[in-house]
Amino acid sequence: QRGTSFTGIAAGATKTIFLTSPAGSNQTWTVPADFNSASNTVITIGAGSSGGSGTSHGAGGAGGAFALRSNVTLSGSITYQIGTGGTGVSAGNNGVAGGDTWFNSASMPASGTATAVGAKGGSANAGTTGAVGGLASASCGSTKYNGGSGSNYSSNAGSGGGAAGANGAGGNGGL
């Protein structure tokens, strides 16, 4: 399941909310009255890309990056977007890049933005070269990890890279 999640501590209780609305377009979320800006964690994961198809383009797709930020100050309504996963392709075509996922911003936030969180999606492959995982350096958060890269085409196929998560970078595809 893809989406944005955050945990906020409200009146001594932990509350976890997952935002999983339609991917690929900006959405609006109303911050609950009991949201605690002094004690929360926001997590985003970029979408994975699809792999290529065919002997000249059949390399593996890539996983999305992970980004986290704690104690994000929120009130009113915020804008977020959940990245769309790369779509399947017909023979002889490169894969499609995965979309970026962001929270508290109208577009993918710059790396140093202190009030937003964003994770880069996996890139598209180029011919027989595997796709590059979503880059932590192009993501926005206090903790960021790269998505795994897809493997290069070999014999009959390429394998995909894994998404990054809270424990580190996504694994690279291998044969």
Side-chain angles (χ1 to χ4, degrees):
Q1 176 157 351
R2 63 179 178 250
T4 296
S5 73
F6 65 89
T7 302
I9 309 300
T14 299
K15 180 189 288 187
T16 302
I17 299 171
F18 292 93
L19 302 177
T20 59
S21 64
S25 62
N26 280 352
Q27 305 295 316
T28 302
W29 179 70
T30 301
V31 179
D34 64 349
F35 184 81
N36 185 344
S37 289
S39 183
N40 64 72
T41 301
V42 178
I43 296 171
T44 58
I45 300 175
S49 65
S50 61
S53 178
T55 57
S56 62
H57 292 45
F66 170 93
L68 170 151
R69 185 178 305 283
S70 296
N71 304 327
V72 179
T73 301
L74 300 174
S75 64
S77 294
I78 61 96
T79 301
Y80 70 96
Q81 181 167 305
I82 298 169
T84 301
T87 57
V89 296
S90 58
N93 290 291
N94 288 327
V96 176
D100 303 334
T101 298
W102 60 78
F103 184 82
N104 201 28
S105 182
S107 61
M108 181 65 181
S111 183
T113 305
T115 59
V117 186
K120 199 75 179 154
S123 71
N125 71 298
T128 59
T129 302
V132 175
L135 297 175
S137 61
S139 298
C140 177
S142 56
T143 301
K144 304 177 289 186
Y145 298 113
N146 291 329
S149 293
S151 71
N152 293 336
Y153 174 83
S154 176
S155 298
N156 294 313
S159 61
N167 293 321
N172 292 330
L175 296 178

